[in-house]
Amino acid sequence: MSRNILICDFDETITTKDTINLLAKLAYSVKPELKPEWSHFETTYMDGYNELQPIYLMKRSLPLLLQIYMDHAKITDENFYQFFGPEIEYQKLCRNIEMNSMMEMEKYNVFKGITTQDVNQYINTLEGSVIRNGFFDCLKELNIQLNQLYILSINWSQEFIHSIISRTYLRSSNIYCNSLLHDTSHGTYNGLFSKKLLTGSDKIHTLQEICRNNGQDNTIWYIGDSETDLLSILYPGINGILLLNPNENEKKFNKITRNILGIELETLSKFKNEDIRYIKFIEKDNNMASYLVKNWAYVTTLIQSEN
């Protein structure tokens, strides 16, 4: 029997906000004497971004969907790399920006010595849930089992993600991220990052692996909210969901849907109507598609309608 497989981004897709800063606070909470301040690493990242991103941008071909719309084409296995090759190359180049930031944190051993117990205790101190409304309801209503949910994230901590979502819904082995590595002899982080998942081009390699392991009979959904998710959302052979509500963050919505993707204005105008829960913005082979969806409750509605 066909099942739904959900492959989800984590930060701002499942969570209400970016949790990288929360993880940073964990390091300074466990090691109050830690220097330099977190602002140093934020500055390091932005300096690298401002220096390199304008150069890399020249490799980018925006909007991503322009040629597909002009050709009235569907996304297929055959044309995916033809249409999105420049974006894959751009994302690969952006690894250098992320690597620069990672290496600076490794240099100062920001996360060295932190234990899994520290992570769990820290999560218990967070005020309120950081999980978006409707996410757990979606898993329950669609009867998503442990082997049907995957996380594909550029977040840093598998343990953090696992604790936030809970073992009830998610296997640790189903979390793919830019993991903090362990010193197994001491049961602590050793301060180094795996550096396997840094950009959108990295995500599609892992997505391919997950798809291969889930056979031909399942319906795979990729759900994300940001630039690093777009290649996965557009990937052939699966359904993609861009989880963005224009009423929550209009600036982000316009940047991704209009400037980067170039979704047709008529489609965006319809989607902004309060009565519209989701809308298809590109078709793929084998009756697959990519959709704009406003929230997790409507993700549930969309997937149920396609079953």
Side-chain angles (χ1 to χ4, degrees), residues 109-146:
N109 292 314
V110 173
F111 289 95
K112 186 175 183 178
I114 291 172
T115 67
T116 302
Q117 186 179 4
D118 291 330
V119 175
N120 293 331
Q121 287 177 345
Y122 176 69
I123 287 169
N124 291 332
T125 68
L126 299 178
E127 290 185 16
S129 174
V130 298
I131 298 288
R132 279 188 175 275
N133 288 335
F135 172 68
F136 288 133
D137 291 335
C138 177
L139 300 183
K140 290 173 187 173
E141 289 187 44
L142 297 177
N143 194 28
I144 299 298
Q145 304 298 307
L146 272 171

Side-chain angles (χ1 to χ4, degrees), residues 35 38 49 64 92 98 112 136 140 164 194 206 237 305:
K35 297 293 180 186
W38 181 244
Y49 182 89
L64 296 178
K92 284 180 180 175
E98 304 300 329
K112 186 175 183 178
F136 288 133
K140 290 173 187 173
I164 290 281
S194 67
T206 305
S305 73

Side-chain angles (χ1 to χ4, degrees), residues 45-57:
Y45 179 84
M46 288 311 302
D47 286 348
Y49 182 89
N50 292 332
E51 178 185 348
L52 296 174
Q53 202 264 349
I55 300 169
Y56 299 159
L57 203 56

